[in-house]
Amino acid sequence: MRRCLQLAANGLGRVRPNPLVGCVIVKDGHIISEGFHQEYGHNHAERNALLRNEKLGMRNEESSCAVANSSFLIQHYTLT
């Protein structure tokens, strides 16, 4: 979650009125991708992390996605 919050800080000053959001995708205990909400009206953190992973030729199946925002709302998803 710490890494999610670190990533979220990269959107500071560019995502308002949305919250700052960071996302990491983990597989077998290792971070395989990450992303953050870069600019208001653009892709959200989760989408950026998934796209980054796909560009690297990695598959998202059987991974976990952790998301945290500046309001300390934390979510966890399993990707299938």
Side-chain angles (χ1 to χ4, degrees), residues 11 13-21 37 39-42 44 69-71:
R14 298 181 298 191
V15 299
R16 200 174 202 136
N18 292 342
L20 299 170
V21 181
H37 184 39
E39 189 174 342
Y40 176 74
H42 291 239
H44 287 245
N69 72 26
S70 54
S71 300

Side-chain angles (χ1 to χ4, degrees), residues 4-79:
C4 288
L5 294 173
Q6 289 171 340
L7 290 165
N10 291 321
L12 193 61
R14 298 181 298 191
V15 299
R16 200 174 202 136
N18 292 342
L20 299 170
V21 181
C23 173
V24 296
I25 298 177
V26 178
K27 186 171 185 176
D28 298 326
H30 300 283
I31 294 175
I32 60 171
S33 190
E34 52 190 30
F36 64 96
H37 184 39
Q38 298 175 355
E39 189 174 342
Y40 176 74
H42 291 239
N43 290 336
H44 287 245
E46 301 91 330
R47 183 72 179 139
N48 285 330
L50 291 169
L51 288 173
R52 180 174 182 258
N53 206 31
E54 289 171 7
K55 285 180 185 176
L56 294 173
M58 306 280 288
R59 298 180 58 125
N60 294 312
E61 291 86 2
E62 300 177 8
S63 301
S64 295
C65 179
V67 182
N69 72 26
S70 54
S71 300
F72 296 101
L73 173 65
I74 299 168
Q75 299 173 320
H76 181 266
Y77 307 94
T78 299
L79 305 173

